[in-house]
């Protein structure tokens, strides 16, 4: 069964450094998402992406965050200058026709900011 | 009022029990309802997806939606130790193109 893959599984970074989280969505999917889950808290929406542009973003997704689909298979989340509070699990998801079809999630990248 | 409310548990049941997991939501514009299962250090795994009031069954799992009460449920029949996980309800907001998650209910099935 097709799946969403994320790399790396764990990223440790010094505060203030840039980090790029990578995702390969399911191949025929058109809608891409990033969510995060701080330890012990809810899964929270960050951003949705369709047709090479952001379609929605949350208040969390400020100027320090950016997303890109650099080629036909990858979808990345960049955090420019990491803060301690960026420590969380980051999940990538994709769906084929948008919200009317369910989103499928990867296993996440655990980001630890020191 | 929170958009999606879910009792975090933990809920502990013996093997073979029927489990009932529930969420309430506040926005009547919500249309699409999902249940995900999440094992430790893994991503949410889709279990059930529905968009209408009523019941939807898939093996041992039944999803129930009551739009008039803004209430959704997941029932697990003949629960197994392998069902031990966190269960997340999630509702799709079309105008925001995002999923809104409940807090997740931790389920432990004892053998």
């Amino acid at each position: 069964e097709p799946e969403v893959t994320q790399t790396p599984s764990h990223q440790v970074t010094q505060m203030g450094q840039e980090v790029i989280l990578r995702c390969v969505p399911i191949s025929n999917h058109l809608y891409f998402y990033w969510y995060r889950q701080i330890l012990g808290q809810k899964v929270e929406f960050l951003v949705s992406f369709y047709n090479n542009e952001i379609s929605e973003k949350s208040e969390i997704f400020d100027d320090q965050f950016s997303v890109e689909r650099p080629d036909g298979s990858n979808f990345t989340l960049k955090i420019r200058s990491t803060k301690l509070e960026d420590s969380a699990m980051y999940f990538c998801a994709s769906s084929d026709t948008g919200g009317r079809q369910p989103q499928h999630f990867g296993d996440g990248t655990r980001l630890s900011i020191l | 009022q929170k958009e999606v409310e879910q009792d975090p548990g933990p809920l502990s049941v013996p093997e073979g029990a029927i489990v009932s997991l529930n969420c309430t939501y506040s926005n009547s514009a919500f249309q699409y309802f999902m249940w995900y299962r999440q094992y430790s250090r893994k991503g949410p795994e889709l279990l059930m997806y529905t968009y209408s009031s009523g019941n939807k069954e898939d093996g041992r799992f039944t999803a129930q939606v009551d739009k008039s009460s803004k209430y959704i449920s997941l029932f697990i029949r003949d629960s197994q130790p392998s069902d031990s996980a966190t269960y997340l309800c999630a509702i799709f907001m079309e105008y925001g193109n995002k999923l809104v998650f409940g807090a997740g209910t931790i389920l432990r099935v004892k053998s």
Side-chain angles (χ1 to χ4, degrees):
Chain A
E1 186 173 322
E3 58 181 24
V4 176
T5 56
Q6 290 186 244
T7 55
S9 56
H10 188 196
Q11 174 82 47
V12 182
T13 302
Q14 292 289 329
M15 186 172 59
Q17 295 296 303
E18 175 182 287
V19 66
I20 297 176
L21 310 182
R22 291 182 165 79
C23 170
V24 178
I26 294 172
S27 63
N28 62 338
H29 284 187
L30 302 175
Y31 291 77
F32 314 112
Y33 306 84
W34 284 101
Y35 293 81
R36 81 172 185 189
Q37 187 176 29
I38 293 170
L39 187 64
Q41 297 187 23
K42 286 187 180 189
V43 176
E44 302 175 284
F45 168 77
L46 291 178
V47 65
S48 58
F49 191 86
Y50 169 70
N51 200 25
N52 276 322
E53 59 182 30
I54 291 173
S55 50
E56 292 291 336
K57 59 183 181 180
S58 72
E59 292 174 353
I60 304 165
F61 195 89
D62 62 21
D63 292 344
Q64 294 301 309
F65 291 86
S66 62
V67 289
E68 191 179 28
R69 187 152 164 82
D71 53 43
S73 58
N74 292 282
F75 180 51
T76 62
L77 174 69
K78 183 195 293 187
I79 309 175
R80 247 179 288 282
S81 177
T82 50
K83 307 183 190 71
L84 292 175
E85 55 264 36
D86 293 328
S87 296
M89 285 290 292
Y90 286 81
F91 295 109
C92 173
S94 68
S95 69
D96 56 2
T97 55
R100 298 181 183 193
Q101 293 301 319
Q103 295 175 24
H104 297 267
F105 285 75
D107 279 339
T109 293
R110 182 155 64 104
L111 179 62
S112 300
I113 308 299
L114 305 178
Chain B
Q1 186 181 14
K2 292 181 183 177
E3 288 184 300
V4 181
E5 302 227 31
Q6 184 177 9
D7 185 342
L11 182 61
S12 185
V13 301
E15 184 176 354
I18 296 174
V19 175
S20 171
L21 304 166
N22 309 294
C23 287
T24 58
Y25 61 95
S26 57
N27 191 333
S28 57
F30 288 157
Q31 290 185 300
Y32 305 97
F33 308 92
M34 278 146 264
W35 285 95
Y36 288 87
R37 177 173 62 195
Q38 187 176 27
Y39 292 113
S40 180
R41 297 192 180 277
K42 291 287 192 178
E45 171 196 359
L46 181 70
L47 281 177
M48 300 288 285
Y49 165 72
T50 184
Y51 54 85
S52 57
S53 280
N55 293 351
K56 181 177 180 179
E57 193 172 314
D58 184 359
R60 296 185 295 113
F61 298 92
T62 300
Q64 188 174 80
V65 175
D66 182 346
K67 288 189 177 181
S68 61
S69 303
K70 301 192 188 71
Y71 194 85
I72 62 173
S73 301
L74 178 71
F75 299 96
I76 308 174
R77 287 184 299 283
D78 188 24
S79 55
Q80 303 295 309
S82 58
D83 294 329
S84 298
T86 298
Y87 289 79
L88 308 168
C89 63
I91 306 178
F92 182 73
M93 293 180 61
E94 192 158 16
Y95 59 85
N97 191 22
K98 65 180 181 181
L99 283 176
V100 179
F101 281 85
T105 299
I106 298 169
L107 173 66
R108 297 189 185 122
V109 181
K110 298 172 291 185
S111 57

